[in-house]
Short mmCIF file of all heavy atoms in Angstrom, two decimals:
data_model
loop_
_atom_site.label_atom_id
_atom_site.label_comp_id
_atom_site.label_asym_id
_atom_site.label_seq_id
_atom_site.Cartn_x
_atom_site.Cartn_y
_atom_site.Cartn_z
N LYS G 225 188.54 173.92 45.97
CA LYS G 225 189.44 173.90 44.82
C LYS G 225 188.79 174.61 43.64
O LYS G 225 187.58 174.66 43.51
CB LYS G 225 189.77 172.46 44.45
CG LYS G 225 190.47 171.66 45.55
CD LYS G 225 190.73 170.24 45.11
CE LYS G 225 191.43 169.44 46.22
NZ LYS G 225 191.68 168.04 45.81
N ARG G 226 189.62 175.15 42.78
CA ARG G 226 189.19 175.77 41.53
C ARG G 226 188.13 176.85 41.76
O ARG G 226 187.09 176.89 41.09
CB ARG G 226 188.65 174.70 40.58
CG ARG G 226 189.67 173.61 40.24
CD ARG G 226 189.09 172.60 39.25
NE ARG G 226 190.07 171.59 38.90
CZ ARG G 226 190.24 170.45 39.56
NH1 ARG G 226 189.49 170.20 40.63
NH2 ARG G 226 191.14 169.57 39.17
N ILE G 227 188.41 177.76 42.68
CA ILE G 227 187.47 178.85 42.96
C ILE G 227 187.33 179.75 41.74
O ILE G 227 186.23 180.25 41.46
CB ILE G 227 187.94 179.67 44.19
CG1 ILE G 227 187.86 178.81 45.45
CG2 ILE G 227 187.08 180.93 44.35
CD1 ILE G 227 188.26 179.52 46.71
N SER G 228 188.41 179.96 41.02
CA SER G 228 188.35 180.83 39.84
C SER G 228 187.40 180.26 38.78
O SER G 228 186.62 181.00 38.18
CB SER G 228 189.76 180.98 39.24
OG SER G 228 190.62 181.62 40.14
N ILE G 229 187.46 178.95 38.58
CA ILE G 229 186.56 178.31 37.60
C ILE G 229 185.12 178.42 38.07
O ILE G 229 184.21 178.70 37.28
CB ILE G 229 186.96 176.83 37.40
CG1 ILE G 229 188.36 176.74 36.80
CG2 ILE G 229 185.93 176.12 36.51
CD1 ILE G 229 188.87 175.33 36.64
N LEU G 230 184.90 178.22 39.37
CA LEU G 230 183.55 178.35 39.93
C LEU G 230 183.01 179.75 39.73
O LEU G 230 181.86 179.94 39.32
CB LEU G 230 183.58 178.00 41.42
CG LEU G 230 182.29 178.25 42.19
CD1 LEU G 230 181.18 177.36 41.67
CD2 LEU G 230 182.52 178.02 43.68
N ALA G 231 183.83 180.77 40.01
CA ALA G 231 183.41 182.16 39.87
C ALA G 231 183.11 182.51 38.42
O ALA G 231 182.11 183.17 38.12
CB ALA G 231 184.48 183.09 40.43
N ALA G 232 183.98 182.07 37.51
CA ALA G 232 183.76 182.35 36.09
C ALA G 232 182.48 181.68 35.60
O ALA G 232 181.69 182.28 34.86
CB ALA G 232 184.95 181.88 35.27
N THR G 233 182.25 180.45 36.06
CA THR G 233 181.02 179.74 35.68
C THR G 233 179.79 180.43 36.25
O THR G 233 178.78 180.59 35.55
CB THR G 233 181.08 178.28 36.19
OG1 THR G 233 182.24 177.64 35.66
CG2 THR G 233 179.83 177.52 35.77
N GLY G 234 179.87 180.83 37.52
CA GLY G 234 178.75 181.52 38.14
C GLY G 234 178.42 182.83 37.45
O GLY G 234 177.25 183.14 37.20
N GLY G 235 179.44 183.61 37.11
CA GLY G 235 179.21 184.87 36.40
C GLY G 235 178.64 184.66 35.02
O GLY G 235 177.73 185.38 34.59
N PHE G 236 179.15 183.65 34.33
CA PHE G 236 178.67 183.34 32.98
C PHE G 236 177.21 182.91 33.00
O PHE G 236 176.37 183.43 32.25
CB PHE G 236 179.54 182.23 32.39
CG PHE G 236 179.11 181.78 31.01
CD1 PHE G 236 179.46 182.51 29.89
CD2 PHE G 236 178.36 180.63 30.86
CE1 PHE G 236 179.07 182.09 28.62
CE2 PHE G 236 177.96 180.20 29.60
CZ PHE G 236 178.32 180.94 28.48
N LEU G 237 176.87 181.95 33.88
CA LEU G 237 175.52 181.44 33.94
C LEU G 237 174.54 182.47 34.50
O LEU G 237 173.36 182.45 34.17
CB LEU G 237 175.48 180.16 34.78
CG LEU G 237 176.25 178.98 34.19
CD1 LEU G 237 176.19 177.78 35.13
CD2 LEU G 237 175.72 178.60 32.82
N ASP G 238 175.03 183.38 35.34
CA ASP G 238 174.18 184.45 35.85
C ASP G 238 173.70 185.34 34.71
O ASP G 238 172.54 185.74 34.66
CB ASP G 238 174.95 185.28 36.87
CG ASP G 238 174.09 186.36 37.51
OD1 ASP G 238 173.31 186.05 38.42
OD2 ASP G 238 174.20 187.53 37.07
N SER G 239 174.60 185.65 33.79
CA SER G 239 174.24 186.47 32.64
C SER G 239 173.36 185.70 31.65
O SER G 239 172.38 186.22 31.14
CB SER G 239 175.50 186.96 31.92
OG SER G 239 176.23 187.85 32.74
N ILE G 240 173.72 184.46 31.42
CA ILE G 240 172.98 183.64 30.46
C ILE G 240 171.57 183.33 30.94
O ILE G 240 170.60 183.42 30.19
CB ILE G 240 173.73 182.31 30.18
CG1 ILE G 240 175.05 182.60 29.45
CG2 ILE G 240 172.87 181.37 29.35
CD1 ILE G 240 174.90 183.15 28.06
N GLY G 241 171.47 182.94 32.21
CA GLY G 241 170.18 182.49 32.75
C GLY G 241 169.36 183.56 33.44
O GLY G 241 168.30 183.25 33.96
N GLY G 242 169.85 184.81 33.48
CA GLY G 242 169.10 185.86 34.14
C GLY G 242 169.21 185.80 35.66
O GLY G 242 168.44 186.43 36.38
#
Side-chain angles (χ1 to χ4, degrees):
K225 299 179 180 179
R226 301 182 178 89
I227 293 181
S228 296
I229 297 176
L230 173 64
T233 302
F236 177 80
L237 295 178
D238 183 80
S239 294
I240 293 293

